Amino acid sequence: MKPPEEAIVFVLSLLAPGVLFTMNKLPGIQEPFLILGTGVVILGSVLLLFHLTVRHDKKVEPLFYVFAEFSFTCMVGLTNALQQDGFISGFMDFYLKMGEPHLSTAYAVMMCYWEGVVHFTIFLTIIHRMFAGKSYRSLGLLWAGSSIAHQIVHIPGVVIGKHGSNIRPAFWRNVPFFLAPFWAACVLLRRPRVMPVITADEIAVEQKKHLLSRPVELLLSLLLLGVISFCVFRALVVLDCPMDACFTYIYQYEPYLKDPVGFPKVTMLVHFFYAVPLLVVLIYGLMTPGCSWMLDWTLFLAGAVAQTQWCHIGASLHSRTPFTYRVPADKRWPVLTLNVLLAVAPVLLALRCHTNPAYFMKPVPKGQTSNKKKTN
């Protein structure tokens, strides 16, 4: 009996630490260009193995290869995080020296934990649902938001930060991993959305309610306005705004924002230029009935903000961040509270939209029951 595809992906992904350990013991392939070439060969070989395991399965989709390949790299990332925190040794030394030195930073460690735990779990769940004939569109959009946010902070952060003068050839292997989530997001967004059918009368009742008569949406709107204000303020801080409030905040509350690694500065600018406009649009969607796109973009934003905030919060407290850039002990709770609220707000919004989507749905013909499914 053939094992399920997610089990095959899980087992093949577990080969990653063994590959890294072997490469770490072979000095002949530890030159910068050899590391890049070897990495390309290994990733190509892994992709071929995945293809051989599913080539006779009619349910396989092109997205399977993206999720399967990313699963393998997730284990590479988790191996790096475990070594940097001292749980294991002898796996990543060569790669940190001649491949991607920035992976030893606190931000990269937290990024690798997110990949190795959250993304890996999502991939296995998606692959299971894919071959079971179930929809994985929502879960895929959640991952796409997280992965795109990861890459648009990771790559520019390396280039403009203190590691920008020490970029090795292996760094450019990130380019296909930067492009793949955009392609996957486009594929998923073009697919029909599967959601429960709600009767026209129920939709009409919900959509007649004003924002003031919907306390949950009102509180969410106020919370999102607070998140927008915080994102704008921190963008001004990293752009060296001369206001006293900015000066006080960066030196007394979040000195990590001036860490020369580059990641915190890029994170704040990504929030300002991308998250803030999307949050404004989502607040509009909370006040305007029938905005069915809310169901997709709330998931995308929730994944993106959760990923960036996990890395930012963790790095600002991590022992690999120099002491002078860590959050001061006496300011830890207010800073953590603000950062956690920023991460949680989009997640709460996504949960609200998906647990009771009637307000965001287009009216359906009368007579349809809520225990059926429709494509919207």
Side-chain angles (χ1 to χ4, degrees):
M1 182 178 178
K2 181 184 175 183
E5 284 72 13
E6 64 271 19
I8 295 172
V9 171
F10 178 80
V11 171
L12 290 179
S13 298
L14 291 182
L15 296 175
V19 172
L20 291 170
F21 187 81
T22 302
M23 292 181 68
N24 199 54
K25 299 297 183 182
L26 298 175
I29 60 172
Q30 295 182 10
E31 295 298 323
F33 281 101
L34 284 175
I35 290 176
L36 174 60
T38 305
V40 171
V41 171
I42 290 171
L43 291 174
S45 301
V46 170
L47 192 62
L48 179 61
L49 284 175
F50 286 131
H51 173 68
L52 293 175
T53 60
V54 299
R55 68 185 187 279
H56 297 304
D57 198 318
K58 295 181 180 179
K59 295 180 181 179
V60 66
E61 302 177 28
L63 282 175
F64 165 78
Y65 298 104
V66 173
F67 299 137
E69 190 82 342
F70 272 75
S71 298
F72 183 83
T73 60
C74 283
M75 287 298 98
V76 174
L78 184 59
T79 302
N80 174 65
L82 293 174
Q83 175 160 329
Q84 300 313 307
D85 280 343
F87 295 107
I88 58 177
S89 62
F91 290 84
M92 295 294 296
D93 307 84
F94 79 99
Y95 196 76
L96 294 172
K97 182 179 179 181
M98 306 302 291
E100 295 186 76
H102 66 274
L103 290 180
S104 62
T105 62
Y107 186 94
V109 170
M110 300 309 296
M111 179 181 71
C112 289
Y113 276 125
W114 185 268
E115 281 190 300
V117 178
V118 178
H119 282 182
F120 190 63
T121 303
I122 289 175
F123 291 141
L124 294 182
T125 306
I126 286 176
I127 291 169
H128 169 74
R129 295 185 66 85
M130 180 186 294
F131 286 92
K134 300 178 181 178
S135 174
Y136 57 88
R137 185 178 183 275
S138 295
L139 200 55
L141 288 174
L142 186 71
W143 163 77
S146 175
S147 189
I148 289 172
H150 159 202
Q151 293 294 353
I152 63 176
V153 172
H154 173 212
I155 294 177
V158 174
V159 173
I160 73 168
K162 68 178 184 180
H163 291 283
S165 60
N166 192 29
I167 293 177
R168 304 300 179 90
F171 171 72
W172 300 109
R173 67 149 187 96
N174 290 293
V175 172
F177 292 96
F178 172 75
L179 297 175
F182 285 96
W183 173 74
C186 291
V187 171
L188 292 168
L189 286 170
R190 284 198 297 265
R191 293 185 176 182
R193 186 187 303 112
V194 177
M195 54 195 303
V197 172
I198 301 176
T199 62
D201 290 340
E202 291 175 311
I203 293 175
V205 169
E206 286 294 319
Q207 295 186 351
K208 286 179 181 178
K209 294 179 181 178
H210 191 271
L211 182 64
L212 294 177
S213 63
R214 295 182 291 132
V216 173
E217 286 78 1
L218 179 61
L219 288 174
L220 279 173
S221 298
L222 294 175
L223 181 58
L224 294 179
L225 287 172
V227 168
I228 290 172
S229 301
F230 188 46
C231 289
V232 172
F233 174 71
R234 291 204 296 184
L236 294 175
V237 169
V238 299
L239 291 173
D240 297 324
C241 176
M243 290 193 306
D244 290 342
C246 295
F247 182 86
T248 300
Y249 187 80
I250 198 169
Y251 282 97
Q252 296 185 19
Y253 288 86
E254 272 198 276
Y256 179 63
L257 294 178
K258 57 187 177 71
D259 191 327
V261 293
F263 299 118
K265 184 173 185 177
V266 175
T267 300
M268 299 306 107
L269 295 179
V270 166
H271 285 173
F272 178 69
F273 286 109
Y274 297 99
V276 166
L278 185 52
L279 285 167
V280 172
V281 173
L282 294 179
I283 291 175
Y284 167 82
L286 279 176
M287 298 186 293
T288 308
C291 296
S292 58
W293 45 264
M294 287 281 290
L295 301 171
D296 291 337
W297 290 104
T298 52
L299 283 172
F300 186 89
L301 183 66
V305 174
Q307 195 277 340
T308 53
Q309 281 300 101
W310 161 266
C311 296
H312 179 75
I313 295 170
S316 67
L317 303 172
H318 200 278
S319 59
R320 284 193 163 271
T321 297
F323 181 78
T324 53
Y325 296 122
R326 295 182 215 163
V327 177
D330 59 331
K331 302 294 193 302
R332 184 166 295 176
W333 284 112
V335 172
L336 284 179
T337 300
L338 287 172
N339 276 283
V340 170
L341 283 174
L342 196 160
V344 168
V347 176
L348 293 176
L349 177 61
L351 287 174
R352 161 63 191 90
C353 292
H354 284 267
T355 53
N356 186 14
Y359 186 80
F360 310 102
M361 293 176 63
K362 297 176 182 179
V364 296
K366 292 184 178 181
Q368 289 184 322
T369 57
S370 59
N371 60 351
K372 296 179 182 179
K373 297 284 181 180
K374 75 166 284 219
T375 298
N376 184 21

